[in-house]
Amino acid sequence: AQQLAYCFPGLREIILTGMAAEQGAISALLSALGNLKELTLGSLELSPSPEDERAIADKGSTLKCLELANSAAIATDALVERLSLQATGLEHLSLYGSGLVTDESMRTLSNSPCRLGLVELDLTFCTMVTFPAVLQLVQSCPRLGSLGSEWPPEALDKPFPECERADAEHNFAPDEIRQLQDIMRPRRGF
């Protein structure tokens, strides 16, 4: 990590996907990269340590984009709670594929300073998140203009670009999708 920071002192984006990492590796890497604005941790095989979780949340104060796709061991309610307090500049958050993120995370984000800057949120395949929690979050995020989530097939013909993903397991009804669209449409310039 130190060598990476030495060789690339201005590094602003790092993407780590499909790899195994030892406990503490994420913490060491993030502490060495002071200019980081975009962090992607996708499909990581690790058991994160409390230091890793703390480092991600601490880095949240300077991150603009955080993607935790298919990283269920990292993307948890506990991390979202920490992020919600520290990630005041966060604009893009992807929790794609996290089965450990629940309605509690949505309530936490809905009441945090982090919600004011959030422009894009991806909850696709976050199967423990329900419509009422998503609705509360969307209503509390004044800049949120893009919401990725699982949508039933009947939503595919709607004028909502993020409705391109379909999964019949999700319980969002067409009227619920329209409700979200109505809230977000003015933010997107429609």
Side-chain angles (χ1 to χ4, degrees):
Q2 295 297 332
Q3 188 175 12
L4 184 65
Y6 178 77
C7 292
F8 304 100
L11 192 63
R12 297 176 51 86
E13 176 182 5
I14 192 161
I15 300 170
L16 302 174
T17 60
M19 58 181 272
E22 294 179 13
Q23 284 192 347
I26 302 296
S27 174
L29 181 66
L30 294 181
S31 65
L33 299 172
N35 295 319
L36 203 60
K37 299 294 180 204
E38 297 182 30
L39 175 62
T40 300
L41 301 174
S43 302
L44 293 184
E45 295 178 25
L46 79 153
S47 299
S49 66
E51 295 82 28
D52 290 331
E53 186 179 282
R54 191 172 22 261
I56 293 168
D58 288 348
K59 190 54 79 174
S61 63
T62 59
L63 286 177
K64 296 286 184 199
C65 176
L66 177 60
E67 296 189 21
L68 301 173
N70 296 315
S71 293
I74 298 172
T76 63
D77 285 341
L79 177 63
V80 172
E81 181 177 351
R82 283 184 165 201
L83 277 172
S84 71
L85 299 173
Q86 295 172 291
T88 55
L90 197 60
E91 295 177 358
H92 171 87
L93 177 61
S94 175
L95 300 170
Y96 181 103
S98 176
L100 298 178
V101 171
T102 68
D103 286 352
E104 187 59 37
S105 286
M106 301 304 102
R107 284 190 286 277
T108 299
L109 285 171
S110 295
N111 296 307
S112 74
C114 172
R115 70 184 168 76
L116 299 174
L118 209 52
V119 175
E120 187 175 348
L121 177 64
D122 191 348
L123 299 172
T124 303
F125 302 118
C126 291
T127 56
M128 301 300 291
V129 176
T130 64
F131 174 76
V134 172
L135 179 61
Q136 177 186 359
L137 179 61
V138 168
Q139 289 172 329
S140 71
C141 296
R143 296 183 60 211
L144 191 64
S146 178
L147 176 67
S149 187
E150 301 176 56
W151 304 105
E154 60 269 17
L156 294 176
D157 61 339
K158 304 294 188 244
F160 192 35
E162 285 70 34
C163 289
E164 62 195 35
R165 298 180 204 99
D167 187 329
E169 291 181 19
H170 210 310
N171 297 323
F172 285 12
D175 61 317
E176 293 171 329
I177 293 170
R178 279 190 288 282
Q179 194 173 357
L180 290 172
Q181 291 173 337
D182 289 345
I183 293 168
M184 293 173 55
R185 190 171 286 114
R187 301 175 191 169
R188 300 176 65 157
F190 289 96

